[in-house]
Structures are given as structure tokens and as C-alpha cells.
Amino acid sequence: MKFAIFPNMEKSVFYKLFPQLADIFNELGIEYYLLDKYKKKAEEHNLFIEDKHYKSLEWITSHVSYVMSIGGDGAYLAVACTMADYPVAQVGLHMGDFGFLNLISEKNLKERMIQITQDDYILEKRLFLESYLIHQDGTKKMLPIALNDVVVGHSAIGKMVRLHLHIDKQFIQTYAADGIIISSPTGSTGYAMSCGGPVLPSDSKDFLVIPVCVHTGLTSPLIIPNNAEVKITLPEREKNVHISLDGTYTFQMAPTDQLIIKNCLKQIRFIRFKDQGFFKILTKKFENYEKKE
């Protein structure tokens, strides 16, 4: 069994935790690898790992069957999108403040790793969001895939934007709002939920359109069926509009551009343990966070 480890190298707790993780992997006969670009940062924090454990991304995508993100939800999303086109199973070790995606904690790390070695888990498929811009001359610019959401809004904080929404080539309405969130089921527990959107189970095939702080127009979130196409266009007056994907990538949208968003499935699968029902995880996360507060 081969694991690739993708940590958030900015979290100091990782450097304290890694020796424990390596001991568990060695005890269970799990081979583990990290990206070679992590070596310098690790050694700056006095974490010295044998060279045989450092590999290129190309090598990792060809040789490992499991990937582990270490950090918060941001780390999990980044790994999922990096490895989306490869037949791997992903699990996350939680070291963030509050999140829904990483299902292993430091407390149950060994127990969960034993379960993985015994195939005692469930593999889930999750929808990604595929988006692209069509420019005025007809050329197409593909944007990075997103596991959580695609957000369209004004490039300046606090300024309203007008956005035309189309679904399956039918014009729906013009929103005057802070923006629009197009969310996957995974993203429905993130920014979408904080803006009043419904929570979708992680294996749902639907996705969401949620307006943010609507001034005029329909305020209710929309549930969009599988295989539908969402299109966002702009009035000519809107010249400072940005697109954000998973809060990581940002692109400018011109008034003459069309933004197309669809859902899609990728090769990657996601590990969930059998005692972790989706809604049970949801309520438990909130309970634990309130206790911490």
C-alpha cells in the first residue's frame, strides 16, 4: 500500500505530528511519499526525512493508490483538484480550525489507518465543477476545476454587481447583488451555507446557485439538476468582475465574456468511514466547534 502525503507546510503542528504518522505507517507496512518540493521547507523546521520518501508529482500520480491531505479544508480541496484525474482514494487528516472534509483526527489516526489497511471504509464519488470562459471572438479559456464552488462578484469588496443568470440556455433573471455562488454538493457546507443555501449530501448529483446579499431579484437559492448548464453573462457596464474557484484561483471576467459552469465526475474517490454518516458529521462538527468557543 502506497500513500502520498500532501501537508499544509505552513502549519507548525504538522512538523510535530509527522514522526507519529511515519511510525504508524512503518508499523502497518505502508509506504509513504511526499513531493520533493517539500524537502527544503521540512528541513528548515528540523524535520529530516530520508530522500527515498521524496518523489516528483509525476512519479506519485503513476505509483500511489492513496493520498492524504494534512491541514484544513483548503488543503483537502487543493489535493483533490491536483489528483482529480487519477484513480486514487483521498482521505484527510484534520489540523484546521473548522471544516467538514478531513475525517481523521490526531486522536483516532492509528485506528483509522488500520481500517484503511483492512479496506474497512466506503469510497464516495463527488461532483466537481468544470468551468470555462467564452471570449467575444469565440475562443474558449478553460478554468481550473473546483470541488467546492465558483463565485462571481465585483473585484472590489463591498460593491454590488449585476449578473445575468441562464440555465440550459434559458435566461432566468438579472441579479443585482454582491455576487453569485455556484456550489457543488461538497461546497454546500461552506460559503454557500453561510449565505443561506441548503446542505446537499456529499453524494448528491445536483448543484446550487446561491445569490449573495441580493438587492433586486429572486433571493432564494436554486437547486440545479445534474447535467444542467449554468451560464453567467454581464451587462456592458460591469467591467470589474472576478471569478473565484475554491477560493484559490481568481480570474477577470470581461463584459463580453460568457462564463459556463457544469458539473463533472473525475477518477478520484473519497474515503468515508462506516461510522461517519454525512448528517452525523455535520451536526457533530457544529457541536464540537461550539464547545471550543
Side-chain angles (χ1 to χ4, degrees), residues 16-27:
K16 299 174 184 175
L17 176 67
F18 184 81
Q20 177 191 347
L21 177 63
D23 286 345
I24 292 170
F25 277 8
N26 289 331
E27 181 181 340

Side-chain angles (χ1 to χ4, degrees), residues 100-137:
F100 294 95
L101 299 178
N102 296 297
L103 299 181
I104 297 178
S105 66
E106 184 178 355
K107 185 184 296 185
N108 64 17
L109 174 56
K110 185 172 182 179
E111 172 193 348
R112 295 306 193 191
M113 292 311 305
I114 290 172
Q115 287 179 267
I116 290 174
T117 61
Q118 296 175 346
D119 293 329
D120 184 18
Y121 57 84
I122 296 165
L123 276 181
E124 291 185 336
K125 298 178 182 180
R126 294 192 179 210
L127 289 179
F128 286 77
L129 297 174
E130 180 180 81
S131 56
Y132 57 91
L133 287 168
I134 301 176
H135 298 307
Q136 188 175 23
D137 63 2

